[in-house]
Amino acid sequence: MAPCEILELLEAGYQKLADSDSKSLLKKHLTKPIFDKLKTKVTPSYCSTLLDCIQSGLCNLDSNVGIYAPDPEAYQTFAEIFDPIINDYHKGFGKGAKHPASCFGYGADFPDLDPEQKFILSTRVRCGRSIQDFPFNPCLSEDDYRKLECMITKVLSTLCNEHAGKYYPLAGMEKDVQQKLIDKHYLFKEGDRFLQAANASRFWPTGRGIFINRARTFLVWVNEEDHIRIISMERGGDLGRVYERMIIGLESLAYSLKFSSDSRLGNLTFCPTNLGTTIRASVHIKLPHLGKDRAKLEEMAKKHNLQVRGTSGEHTEAKDGVYDISNTRRMGLTEYQAVGEMHKGISALIEAECQEC
Ligand code: ADP
Ligand code: CIR
């Protein structure tokens, strides 16, 4: 049972959300009956409360989603709020739905999206993984962060060929080096207020860091939003090649690390938007005509199940007309289908842009 002071904070937070004009999925789905049913519950192993799940959305009324799972059990304990949000975000993961078995298929099925290099600056595919027997950020101790970092970097040091590289811990990294890595879109940014409010940035920078291969085309983020983010990226629009590189890197890591998964939800992640395949395949793209009006571009992208982000990622603006466009859905479909959805959608946007020329 959640303690009294948590209940008081929850009641005040709920009222603030209910009175606001927040467009978050949290506000949309957290009805009073669901709130009343969940407000006293705690997860069995970590005693996480509803407040641990929704405090980011309560503090940041401009959240798109507004909820995180502090530990893997939260998806069951607080299913009455997670399930409708998951169903809404991933478009069709209703009652009785089960995430399909993993199927990566072949990168060769996704030809270069922009062979003449007119629109796409770069392509990136990432996935997230959580390590079995560890909770998510808000429940990790400083020692857990160190243990995770040690476990993960030990395996990273065994990567070979194209994937071989070096780990750079955030602790002790020069500020200008860190900023350069962020500006080049390799490293995660610091001080994300959505993660901070979710209690996901405690003991920063302990245990956080980035692994980079020699060609700077394969990266692994350690202990940012998820325990691991596996990233493949390069200039141009060769999605198939980028995807293949991510798959090989992921398979090499899966050989030695045990990842958390759930028979219904697929791979488990901190944010419900990343469950299932956890795949986000994106391009940095210039669409001078369609991009004149971001709202219109977003509307068009939505028809193809694509999400538009700014140049420096989520919650940022587009600089010099460069948008980050990626698949929205990651759950209820295979990896191959998620990347295929993005390939088809980006091709359609480029075609629409050409028609406007
Ligand atoms: P994530 O993809 O990990 O959910 P963000 O939206 O925060 O997170 O993006 C992380 C970084 O990746 C940002 O610097 C963003 O600009 C960069 N990025 C995303 N897609 C591309 C891309 N296609 N090319 C280059 N950088 C990219
Ligand atoms: C939000 O709710 O806006 C942040 N917590 C981030 C949510 C994840 N992003 C997304 O839309 N895929």
Side-chain angles (χ1 to χ4, degrees):
M1 163 102 182
C4 280
E5 58 274 23
I6 299 292
L7 285 174
E8 275 169 28
L9 289 170
L10 269 172
E11 293 288 356
Y14 180 78
Q15 207 45 56
K16 183 179 132 195
L17 182 70
D19 294 342
S20 75
D21 61 356
S22 171
K23 305 280 181 293
S24 70
L25 294 183
L26 179 68
K27 155 115 191 207
K28 182 171 165 190
H29 294 287
L30 191 64
T31 60
K32 190 74 169 71
I34 292 179
F35 174 76
D36 284 336
K37 197 165 168 199
L38 299 182
K39 66 187 180 189
T40 54
K41 292 198 175 184
V42 294
T43 61
S45 307
Y46 294 96
C47 292
S48 301
T49 65
L50 180 63
L51 188 65
D52 294 315
C53 302
I54 68 173
Q55 56 196 347
S56 182
L58 298 181
C59 282
N60 297 291
L61 295 171
D62 59 342
S63 292
N64 295 320
V65 183
I67 190 166
Y68 294 94
D71 67 69
E73 291 165 353
Y75 286 115
Q76 275 85 52
T77 305
F78 302 104
E80 278 101 334
I81 182 59
F82 276 109
D83 284 352
I85 289 179
I86 287 169
N87 183 30
D88 195 332
Y89 180 86
H90 297 281
K91 304 192 175 23
F93 195 83
K95 272 214 164 11
K98 196 168 178 275
H99 183 69
S102 161
C103 173
F104 285 90
Y106 298 103
D109 290 347
F110 304 121
D112 195 322
L113 282 158
D114 183 25
E116 290 173 38
Q117 305 196 2
K118 279 160 65 180
F119 306 100
I120 297 179
L121 282 82
S122 53
T123 303
R124 175 181 186 262
V125 185
R126 63 87 160 150
C127 67
R129 288 292 182 274
S130 307
I131 305 292
Q132 242 178 45
D133 301 326
F134 283 88
F136 303 146
N137 271 311
C139 301
L140 292 174
S141 67
E142 190 162 16
D143 199 42
D144 286 334
Y145 278 112
R146 288 203 192 93
K147 275 192 195 135
L148 277 166
E149 183 186 41
C150 185
M151 248 168 109
I152 297 163
T153 53
K154 211 163 143 190
V155 178
L156 287 171
S157 70
T158 66
L159 291 177
C160 51
N161 303 323
E162 190 190 9
H163 294 80
K166 200 176 158 207
Y167 179 69
Y168 301 88
L170 208 57
M173 187 184 283
E174 297 286 344
K175 276 287 161 201
D176 63 326
V177 172
Q178 183 183 350
Q179 195 54 50
K180 264 189 206 140
L181 290 173
I182 294 171
D183 293 344
K184 284 185 174 289
H185 305 287
Y186 297 135
L187 181 62
F188 45 83
K189 47 189 185 299
E190 194 164 272
D192 180 306
R193 68 187 156 93
F194 300 87
L195 291 179
Q196 279 177 343
N199 249 332
S201 310
R202 294 189 314 148
F203 314 116
W204 193 278
T206 299
R208 278 74 168 195
I210 183 171
F211 173 89
I212 311 179
N213 75 340
R214 284 186 290 263
R216 298 190 157 197
T217 52
F218 180 74
L219 316 162
V220 179
W221 291 356
V222 178
N223 284 324
E224 190 245 8
E225 179 173 322
D226 289 307
H227 299 157
I228 331 186
R229 284 283 174 92
I230 298 158
I231 301 158
S232 169
M233 63 196 279
E234 67 181 45
R235 295 203 159 277
D238 195 340
L239 176 64
R241 191 165 60 195
V242 173
Y243 180 47
E244 281 286 341
R245 187 188 301 116
M246 192 213 69
I247 298 169
I248 295 169
L250 169 66
E251 283 172 350
S252 311
L253 297 180
Y255 210 71
S256 312
L257 292 169
K258 285 204 172 81
F259 299 138
S260 308
S261 66
D262 176 85
S263 57
R264 186 172 71 93
L265 303 173
N267 292 293
L268 292 175
T269 52
F270 181 43
C271 180
T273 65
N274 287 321
L275 290 165
T277 65
T278 76
I279 296 255
R280 187 167 91 88
S282 65
V283 283
H284 264 186
I285 188 167
K286 276 194 179 192
L287 298 166
H289 291 93
L290 301 180
K292 269 184 212 148
D293 182 346
R294 179 158 176 173
K296 232 167 120 190
L297 177 65
E298 282 190 15
E299 206 178 294
M300 193 179 263
K302 210 169 159 190
K303 289 194 183 123
H304 298 282
N305 285 334
L306 296 177
Q307 184 188 48
V308 181
R309 297 185 179 186
T311 322
S312 299
E314 199 159 26
H315 309 290
T316 67
E317 293 304 314
K319 271 185 252 150
D320 304 324
V322 178
Y323 288 98
D324 165 342
I325 308 186
S326 59
N327 58 300
T328 304
R329 302 197 308 145
R330 309 186 220 293
M331 201 180 181
L333 72 182
T334 65
E335 290 82 357
Y336 184 71
Q337 288 168 328
V339 176
E341 196 155 272
M342 178 272 198
H343 190 269
K344 207 167 145 208
I346 299 293
S347 303
L349 289 187
I350 291 178
E351 207 180 304
E353 172 72 18
C354 289
Q355 275 165 11
E356 298 259 328
C357 294

